[in-house]
Amino acid sequence: MGTTNSTLSKIPNVEELMQETGFTPAHIVRLYDRFEALDKEKTGLLRPQDFGAINRLAMNPIGDRIIGAFFSPGQETVDFHSFVRILAHFRPADKKRPKDPSMPEPVNSRTSKLKFAFQLYDQDKDGKISRAELLQVLRSMLEMQVTEEQLESIADRTIQEADLDKDDAISFEEFRKSLEKVNIDHKMSIRFLR
Amino acid sequence: MPALWHSTFFLVIVLLAISRPSLASQAGNDDLQMGTEHRTYKGTENGTTNLITTLPIVTWNWQEIQFPYLVALWILVSWLCKLMLQLNPSLTSVIPESGLLICIGWVLGGIIYWADKVQTFRLQPFIFFYYLLPQIVLDSGYSMPNKLFFSNLGSILVYAVIGTCWNAATLGLALWGCWLGGAIGGIDIGLLQLLLFGSLIAAVDPVAVIAVFEEVHVNEVLYILVFGESLLNDGVTVVLFNVFNAFVSLGGAKINAVEIIKGIISFLVVAFGGSLVGVIFGLLISLLTRCTKNIQIIEPGFVFVLGYLCYLTAEMLSLSSILSCTFYGVCCQKYINANMDERSVSTVRYVMKVFANGSETIIFVFLGITAIDPSIWVWNTAFIFLTLLFIFVFRFIGVFFLTWILNQFRLVPLEFIDQVVMGYGGLRGAVAYGLVVSLDEKKYKEKNMMISTTLLVVYFTVMLQGITMKALVNWLKVKRAAQTERTLAEKIQNRTFDHILVAIEDISGQIGHNYMRDKWNNFEERWLYWLLMTPSARKSCDHIFNIFHKLNLKDAMSYVKEGERRGSLAFIRKETKIDVDFYKKFGANFSEMMPYIMTENMGSDHVPVSSILWDSMPSVCLDMHEQDLKMRESEDVNAHHLLQQHLYKGKKQHRHRYSRKHLEVNKDKNEVQEIFQRTMMSRLESFKSAKIGVTPPKKITNHLKKDQPQKMPNGKSTDNSKSHAYGDEDGEFSEGDSASGCEAADGSFPMRACRGAGIVNPAFNAEMDPMPPMQQIPPWLAATEVDSSAVVPSQRAQLRLPLTPSVRSSPRGHD
C-alpha cells in the first residue's frame, strides 16, 4: 500500500479523477503504471506513436480509429487524466447508482458508452453518421474480398433500418434506438476495470 | 453406406478369425520353433528342420510373424473403428467419439470372447503406459498454448494439486466411512487401500477431457484450466499412488510422522523432478535442432525420440513421466519451431497429431474390449454407486470451493457456468484403469472389485457426462438472453464493440503480471535465444513489428525520392504481377512471422487473461453461430449473409482451439495478416501523404497509370517506412484534422490521422479505375476530398497484399 500511496501522490488532481471516473486508487495506480510503460520518453504525455507501438493494435481493424478517439480534436498528445477518462467509459456500470437527474451522467453509463461508440463512427463530429462514414467503417471491418457494390448495399440497408427521419444519416438518437436491445453494459465493459 | 458398414464388419470378423488359430495354438505355449515347415534359414535351431521332403514354394509362417502382425492388425482395426464412426456424423454429434469407440470396443470384445471363450486381448498397463500414453502427452505438451498456460499456472496448480488431493482424500475417507458403517459389505479392505483407490480414481484424465471438450467449445481460459489441471495432476496422482502403495506394503502399523513427511517430500521430488527432466530434455532438443540444419530430412525424428526418452527417463527415476513429457513439449516448442525448417515443423506437428489421435483411438477401443471379460468382474453395487456419487459430489464441492478462493486473487473471476463445466468436466479415463490393473493381487484382495468399479466409473464419466455435457451447457445457456433476430446495425455494432473492447484491453494492458513477464522475456532474449536458437532464427524472431519500428526515416524518404526520380515508372504496380522478389523476400517471411506475432513476442504486451466478458461471448458455446432463421427479403438475406461471412472476427473469436483433430487455425492467421497489412499500409499512407504533401502534383500524377513491377531499392524499405509512421520520435500526430495533407513541414511529419490516406487496396488496380489520369489526385493532395465516392472498389480476394504502398488513384476513406 505504501507504493500505492506514493504513486498516487505523484498524480496531480487524483482525487478529482477518482471522483469523476469512479476508479479505485488501486486501479488508478495500475493505469498509471501502464501509462508510464507506454510513455517511453517519459514526457508525461502519450503520442499516437506510443499507441502505435502496441503491436496488437495493428491487428485490430479499427485500431487506429480507437487510438484517434483518445486524442481530442486538435490535440496531439494525451495526458494521464484524459487517458483515464477514456478508459473509464469501459467500466462496468454501477448497478446500484440512483437515478439522480441533477448529477451529471457518469462516464460509464449506457449513454456515455454509446456516445463513445458513436464518436468512433462520426469522425467529422457533426453529430451524424453519414453514409460515407459508415462505408469507411464497414470497409475496414470487412474482408478485402467484399466488393464495392456489396459494401454499398450493406451500408444502404443499414441506414435504411436505422434511419428514422430519412435524412440518409444516422443521428445519435437513431443510433441509440437501433441498439436498444443490445446489452451495452456487457458489450462495452472490461471486467478488470471494475 | 450400409455396404461399407457391412464390409468393415466382415473385415473385422475375418481378421479375428485369422487370429484365432494362432491363439489356439498359442495356448500350448509353443515357441517359434514349432511346426513342420520351416524356412531353411531358420535352421540355426538344430534338429527340426529336416522334416521337409520337398521344396516348399510357399510356406505359412504365422508363428514368426505373429506378434508384429497382431499389433499391426489391432492398430488397423482400431483405426477402422474410427473410420466407421465418421460415416455416421449424426451419431457423433450426440455421443462423443470416445464413448462410441468404447461401445465398438464392447462389440469387438464380445466377438473375441465368443470366439475364444477367454478375453485374449486386454489393455495391458505396460503397453498403455509405455506405448500408448507418451505420444498423447507429447502432443499435449507440444501444442500447449504457452502464454495462456503460464498466465493461469497458479490457478492450474491450485486445482491440480489441492483439488486432486482433496478428491482423493475425501473419496477415500468417505468410502472408508461407508465401509465402517457396513454399507459396502464385508470386503477385505482397509483405510489405506481405500485411500489408494481414491487417489487413482480422483485424477482427471487428459485423454478423456480433450476428447469431450472437442465437442463443446469453451473459452480459452476455461479450457486451459481443465486441460492444464488434467495434465499436472499426474504429479500428484503418481505420488499418492506410490505412497499409498508403499504404505499398504508397510502395513498400517508402521506409518508414523516420518513416513508421512517422506510422503510429502516425495511429492515435491516427483513433481519437480519430473518437470526438471522435461525441461532438460527440452533444452537438449533445442540445442540439437540448432545443429541439424544439414540433416533436415530426419530432423523431425529427433523430436520424437528425445520426447520418448524423456518419458522413459522419468519413469526410470520413478518421477512423474507425464509431467516431464508435458514440460518437454512446453519448453521446446518455441525454439524448435524457430530452428527447424518449415517443413520439418509441419511434419512434427502433423505426425504428433497422427500418433496422439491414433493412440487415443486405440486406448478407447481397448477400454471397451477389456470390459468383456467375466473373470474380472466383481459386482459390488454399493461400492460402485457410492464411488460414483462421491466422485461427483466431491468434485463439485472442490471446484466451487477452490474457485471461490481463487476468485479473490484472479484478475478475471470465473463465472458460475465456468465452474459448473469444470466440475462436470472432470472425466476419468484410462490412466486410472492402468493404475488399478497394475496393483498387486496379493496385497489387494479386492483388486477385481476395484477394477470393475474403475471401469464403470470411466464408462460413466466418459459416456454419460460426455453426452450430457452438451445438453447441460445448452440448458444453462438458454437461461441467458435468447438470441433474437438481429438487425444489420446490431450485427455491425456488435462486431465493432468486440473490436473496441479488444483494442481497449490491449491499450490498458495486462495489469499485474507485467513485472515477472518482462523479466522472463528479458532473460529469454538475452540468454536463451543466444543459446538455443540458430542465428538466422534469432534474427527473424525479432518480429516484424520491431523491424518496422527500427528502420529509419531515411529509407522512407529515399524510397519516395526514388519513386519521384524514376518518374512515371516508380509508383506503379501491376495488379497481378506484384513484385515477386519483394513479396517473396518479405512477404513470405511475413506470413511465417505471423505466428510469432500472434502468439509469442508481443514485447511488453501479452494476452490479457480477461478475454471474455459475461455475455458478449458466453464462456461455453456449442459453436452455434447466430441463427438467421427467419425468412427475409432476398436483399436482406444477402446483406446479412455478407456480414456473416466477411466481417473480420475480433481477437476474442480467435479462441485457441487446441484440437486433437485439427492442425491449425489457418483462417484466423490469414485474417490477422490481412488486417495487419492494411493497418500498416494505411499508416504508411498517412505518413507518406503528410510528408509528400510538399511535392508538386504534376510529377506524381504521371505515376498513376502505368503498370510495372516496381523495384524497391531495398526489399524492406517500404515496410520500414511504415515503421516510423509510428515509431519515430520526430513524428507528430495531428488528429481529426482532415485537411492536413499539405501541411508537411520539413523535419516534422505531421501525419494525418484517421482520415485521408486510404486503405491501400492492393487489389485496386489503376486499370479498374474509371477516372482519367488527370482527375486522379494522389491522396496527399486530395486530403479534403473524402466523400462518398471515396471507397475503392475492392477486388476479389487477394490475400497477397503487396507491401508496397502503391499509389491509388482516388482518395479513399481510410481506416
Side-chain angles (χ1 to χ4, degrees):
Chain A
M1 277 338 234
T3 36
T4 314
N5 283 335
S6 63
T7 321
L8 276 181
S9 55
K10 279 196 262 174
I11 310 168
N13 294 333
V14 72
E15 289 297 328
E16 189 189 312
L17 193 61
M18 289 199 290
Q19 177 87 352
E20 193 186 324
T21 58
F23 279 125
T24 60
H27 269 111
I28 300 272
V29 168
R30 281 193 215 146
L31 289 174
Y32 191 72
D33 288 336
R34 177 64 176 169
F35 186 84
E36 289 198 313
L38 288 175
D39 178 18
K40 301 219 167 50
E41 297 126 31
K42 308 288 166 228
T43 56
L45 300 168
L46 286 183
R47 290 185 177 65
Q49 301 90 279
D50 296 321
F51 284 102
I54 304 174
N55 310 338
R56 287 196 117 80
L57 277 183
M59 289 193 253
N60 197 313
I62 50 176
D64 285 346
R65 262 181 201 252
I66 294 173
I67 295 178
F70 274 83
F71 296 85
S72 325
Q75 293 264 350
E76 292 158 7
T77 57
V78 63
D79 65 353
F80 181 62
H81 280 241
S82 321
F83 182 71
V84 172
R85 261 186 230 116
I86 303 275
L87 286 181
H89 283 296
F90 292 90
R91 287 188 57 233
D94 307 314
K95 297 194 170 55
K96 302 195 189 71
R97 184 177 60 87
K99 294 234 183 332
D100 188 352
S102 62
M103 293 192 26
E105 188 87 24
V107 103
N108 61 340
S109 69
R110 189 171 200 275
T111 317
S112 310
K113 290 183 202 269
L114 278 174
K115 280 210 181 115
F116 183 82
F118 188 77
Q119 271 164 346
L120 285 181
Y121 286 98
D122 182 22
Q123 293 286 318
D124 58 6
K125 314 241 182 293
D126 61 356
K128 287 181 182 307
I129 304 176
S130 68
R131 189 166 172 277
E133 288 168 337
L134 184 62
L135 275 172
Q136 282 179 36
V137 180
L138 277 178
R139 175 76 269 168
S140 67
M141 296 214 308
L142 285 167
E143 292 173 3
M144 304 294 308
Q145 53 195 94
V146 178
T147 66
E148 181 57 17
E149 305 81 42
Q150 291 170 325
L151 199 65
E152 297 201 350
S153 80
I154 296 178
D156 285 333
R157 286 214 72 81
T158 310
I159 295 191
Q160 212 176 35
E161 278 177 358
D163 190 13
L164 300 166
D165 58 5
K166 303 292 170 227
D167 60 353
D168 207 27
I170 305 178
S171 71
F172 181 64
E173 278 312 312
E174 291 163 354
F175 183 72
R176 187 214 287 258
K177 204 160 190 328
S178 73
L179 293 177
E180 60 190 356
K181 284 197 234 141
V182 176
N183 189 340
I184 299 291
D185 186 49
H186 283 184
K187 286 230 144 254
M188 275 191 66
S189 297
I190 299 186
R191 269 206 237 147
F192 69 67
L193 289 179
R194 187 192 298 270
Chain B
M1 194 164 87
L4 195 50
W5 269 92
H6 291 149
S7 55
T8 36
F9 207 75
F10 177 68
L11 178 65
V12 166
I13 304 271
V14 164
L15 296 172
L16 291 168
I18 294 180
S19 63
R20 265 187 59 209
S22 69
L23 300 166
S25 57
Q26 206 191 7
N29 195 19
D30 303 310
D31 59 12
L32 293 175
Q33 294 178 6
M34 198 193 91
T36 53
E37 299 171 27
H38 279 267
R39 285 191 195 255
T40 43
Y41 72 81
K42 275 267 177 192
T44 45
E45 298 107 18
N46 39 13
T48 47
T49 51
N50 299 330
L51 294 178
I52 51 169
T53 50
T54 173
L55 180 71
I57 300 176
V58 171
T59 56
W60 174 254
N61 275 316
W62 176 251
Q63 289 311 314
E64 286 140 32
I65 213 69
Q66 174 182 301
F67 179 66
Y69 200 93
L70 279 178
V71 168
L73 201 59
W74 268 113
I75 296 180
L76 178 65
V77 167
S78 312
W79 291 355
L80 280 178
C81 298
K82 195 171 170 108
L83 178 66
M84 271 164 51
L85 285 183
Q86 294 306 319
L87 297 176
N88 202 345
S90 57
L91 198 56
T92 45
S93 59
V94 172
I95 311 181
E97 205 178 85
S98 42
L100 288 171
L101 285 170
I102 293 185
C103 294
I104 297 187
W106 286 341
V107 171
L108 287 177
I111 297 175
I112 298 180
Y113 186 74
W114 164 76
D116 279 348
K117 302 294 177 277
V118 72
Q119 186 57 266
T120 37
F121 297 107
R122 51 175 61 212
L123 187 62
Q124 316 268 15
F126 180 81
I127 297 187
F128 172 71
F129 280 115
Y130 294 124
Y131 294 114
L132 291 176
L133 191 57
Q135 334 34 330
I136 297 181
V137 184
L138 205 58
D139 179 50
S140 312
Y142 184 74
S143 327
M144 176 81 77
N146 270 359
K147 265 213 157 61
L148 208 53
F149 179 66
F150 285 111
S151 308
N152 288 300
L153 192 59
S155 311
I156 293 179
L157 280 175
V158 166
Y159 285 119
V161 176
I162 304 183
T164 312
C165 287
W166 160 264
N167 284 341
T170 50
L171 183 65
L173 288 173
L175 284 176
W176 183 59
C178 293
W179 176 67
L180 282 181
I184 311 185
I187 49 178
D188 183 7
I189 208 163
L191 171 63
L192 286 172
Q193 297 194 8
L194 283 172
L195 280 175
L196 177 89
F197 181 70
S199 71
L200 63 88
I201 273 280
V204 173
D205 187 77
V207 179
V209 159
I210 299 180
V212 163
F213 272 52
E214 292 251 319
E215 325 282 336
V216 178
H217 290 122
V218 300
N219 72 324
E220 48 186 21
V221 175
L222 183 57
Y223 177 83
I224 200 71
L225 284 177
V226 182
F227 183 50
E229 180 204 343
S230 67
L231 279 178
L232 293 189
N233 68 15
D234 178 65
V236 179
T237 309
V238 163
V239 170
L240 286 179
F241 185 80
N242 288 331
V243 161
F244 285 126
N245 214 355
F247 280 176
V248 167
S249 308
L250 281 180
K254 297 228 188 71
I255 301 173
N256 50 17
V258 175
E259 303 293 336
I260 295 184
I261 292 180
K262 274 198 195 164
I264 296 180
I265 295 182
S266 91
F267 162 67
L268 291 171
V269 167
V270 163
F272 285 112
S275 319
L276 193 64
V277 169
V279 169
I280 292 176
F281 272 87
L283 288 178
L284 275 178
I285 185 73
S286 311
L287 280 172
L288 194 58
T289 51
R290 204 181 155 183
C291 324
T292 54
K293 206 158 48 102
N294 296 324
I295 48 166
Q296 277 174 4
I297 200 70
I298 59 168
E299 212 173 26
F302 282 116
V303 179
F304 294 98
V305 167
L306 271 179
Y308 195 44
L309 272 179
C310 170
Y311 187 91
L312 293 177
T313 311
E315 276 290 337
M316 177 177 75
L317 298 171
S318 78
L319 302 170
S320 164
S321 46
I322 294 186
L323 275 184
S324 76
C325 236
T326 306
F327 277 97
Y328 169 81
V330 159
C331 291
C332 75
Q333 35 166 282
K334 189 155 145 198
Y335 306 112
I336 63 179
N337 285 346
N339 282 344
M340 293 201 294
D341 181 58
E342 201 178 290
R343 290 163 300 178
S344 302
V345 173
S346 306
T347 309
V348 168
R349 255 194 230 134
Y350 209 86
V351 173
M352 286 247 191
K353 293 276 177 219
V354 170
F355 281 162
N357 238 315
S359 283
E360 187 186 306
T361 314
I362 299 177
I363 289 176
F364 281 119
V365 169
F366 268 85
L367 266 182
I369 293 179
T370 325
I372 313 296
D373 185 2
S375 65
I376 60 166
W377 283 100
V378 175
W379 191 278
N380 187 330
T381 323
F383 191 71
I384 295 171
F385 178 69
L386 284 171
T387 309
L388 282 173
L389 179 70
F390 287 139
I391 287 183
F392 217 66
V393 166
F394 287 126
R395 168 99 182 144
F396 273 107
I397 296 179
V399 164
F400 284 127
F401 178 62
L402 287 174
T403 314
W404 177 75
I405 295 182
L406 279 177
N407 276 348
Q408 319 291 342
F409 299 102
R410 278 179 67 88
L411 212 46
V412 176
L414 287 170
E415 286 292 302
F416 178 70
I417 186 176
D418 295 343
Q419 297 172 41
V420 167
V421 173
M422 224 164 72
Y424 203 68
L427 304 170
R428 273 66 174 181
V431 174
Y433 173 74
L435 285 175
V436 86
V437 166
S438 64
L439 289 175
D440 186 353
E441 276 110 12
K442 302 189 208 63
K443 280 191 289 188
Y444 299 90
K445 301 288 187 309
E446 300 295 333
K447 177 177 166 182
N448 279 336
M449 181 186 77
M450 290 202 263
I451 294 181
S452 324
T453 314
T454 310
L455 274 178
L456 275 171
V457 167
V458 169
Y459 294 151
F460 186 85
T461 56
V462 167
M463 285 204 272
L464 238 76
Q465 282 177 238
I467 298 175
T468 51
M469 175 84 85
K470 264 193 181 174
L472 175 76
V473 161
N474 223 351
W475 178 69
L476 283 173
K477 202 180 147 205
V478 164
K479 285 196 157 185
R480 298 156 175 273
Q483 298 258 35
T484 53
E485 194 69 19
R486 297 216 188 153
T487 62
L488 276 178
E490 280 175 339
K491 278 192 185 167
I492 298 176
Q493 199 49 43
N494 274 333
R495 193 51 61 82
T496 313
F497 284 146
D498 288 342
H499 289 311
I500 295 177
L501 277 179
V502 170
I504 296 288
E505 273 182 359
D506 292 331
I507 291 179
S508 52
Q510 161 102 348
I511 308 170
H513 293 280
N514 266 338
Y515 181 66
M516 285 300 294
R517 256 313 157 91
D518 283 342
K519 288 222 93 164
W520 169 254
N521 281 340
N522 287 338
F523 169 72
E524 196 183 21
E525 268 170 57
R526 219 171 138 211
W527 297 103
L528 294 181
Y529 282 2
W530 169 83
L531 183 65
L532 299 173
M533 287 175 37
T534 61
S536 55
R538 229 179 300 149
K539 234 180 289 182
S540 49
C541 243
D542 251 349
H543 63 84
I544 296 296
F545 207 90
N546 278 341
I547 296 178
F548 286 160
H549 276 265
K550 272 189 219 151
L551 299 167
N552 57 30
L553 199 50
K554 267 197 196 161
D555 287 342
M557 287 317 302
S558 63
Y559 159 64
V560 166
K561 285 206 181 87
E562 181 77 23
E564 291 166 12
R565 184 177 63 76
R566 293 213 209 137
S568 53
L569 308 180
F571 285 80
I572 323 273
R573 73 177 166 69
K574 222 176 229 172
E575 178 205 14
T576 48
K577 280 200 248 151
I578 301 172
D579 183 47
V580 175
D581 273 357
F582 175 71
Y583 179 68
K584 220 163 65 158
K585 179 171 195 259
F586 200 68
N589 284 344
F590 182 79
S591 56
E592 251 174 46
M593 289 308 119
M594 280 317 291
Y596 292 116
I597 296 181
M598 267 182 77
T599 58
E600 292 294 354
N601 295 316
M602 296 305 284
S604 58
D605 288 353
H606 23 262
V607 177
V609 169
S610 62
S611 47
I612 307 289
L613 295 194
W614 322 253
D615 249 343
S616 65
M617 203 84 44
S619 25
V620 201
C621 99
L622 297 175
D623 225 9
M624 298 194 308
H625 303 288
E626 289 174 9
Q627 317 265 358
D628 276 332
L629 293 175
K630 292 209 201 116
M631 299 298 287
R632 297 170 183 269
E633 309 168 27
S634 58
E635 301 156 24
D636 238 2
V637 171
N638 279 344
H640 281 265
H641 183 65
L642 272 176
L643 276 187
Q644 191 91 343
Q645 294 264 349
H646 295 299
L647 270 177
Y648 283 133
K649 297 200 231 3
K651 191 161 59 107
K652 283 186 187 169
Q653 293 201 16
H654 296 172
R655 271 176 263 152
H656 181 93
R657 299 263 183 96
Y658 168 75
S659 162
R660 193 50 69 61
K661 301 186 213 165
H662 306 292
L663 262 193
E664 255 168 74
V665 193
N666 252 323
K667 193 159 167 291
D668 296 345
K669 201 164 86 157
N670 284 340
E671 176 182 306
V672 170
Q673 197 169 331
E674 202 174 285
I675 300 178
F676 187 69
Q677 286 170 333
R678 284 169 83 174
T679 314
M680 284 290 116
M681 301 192 76
S682 68
R683 286 183 186 175
L684 175 67
E685 277 320 303
S686 53
F687 157 71
K688 220 164 49 101
S689 61
K691 177 58 189 159
I692 312 298
V694 292
T695 320
K698 68 169 162 56
K699 256 198 199 170
I700 299 181
T701 47
N702 290 342
H703 300 168
L704 300 174
K705 272 308 224 180
K706 303 284 178 51
D707 284 348
Q708 288 211 8
Q710 58 185 336
K711 268 309 192 177
M712 309 310 297
N714 142 18
K716 291 192 177 182
S717 65
T718 318
D719 307 278
N720 307 349
S721 49
K722 289 179 207 144
S723 68
H724 17 269
Y726 273 83
D728 200 282
E729 299 80 41
D730 299 341
E732 267 187 5
F733 190 91
S734 69
E735 198 286 326
D737 186 327
S738 49
S740 53
C742 301
E743 323 167 344
D746 276 322
S748 76
F749 311 101
M751 290 182 310
R752 286 174 21 253
C754 309
R755 328 196 86 192
I759 304 166
V760 176
N761 189 331
F764 176 68
N765 185 16
E767 293 167 18
M768 285 268 308
D769 196 317
M771 293 198 280
M774 281 324 283
Q775 288 180 13
Q776 296 163 9
I777 310 170
W780 43 82
L781 291 185
T784 46
E785 284 176 79
V786 186
D787 61 354
S788 53
S789 63
V791 185
V792 161
S794 60
Q795 207 140 0
R796 292 295 150 191
Q798 290 200 18
L799 285 182
R800 305 186 311 145
L801 305 183
L803 299 174
T804 64
S806 48
V807 165
R808 300 116 338 293
S809 356
S810 73
R812 278 193 290 274
H814 144 69
D815 230 345

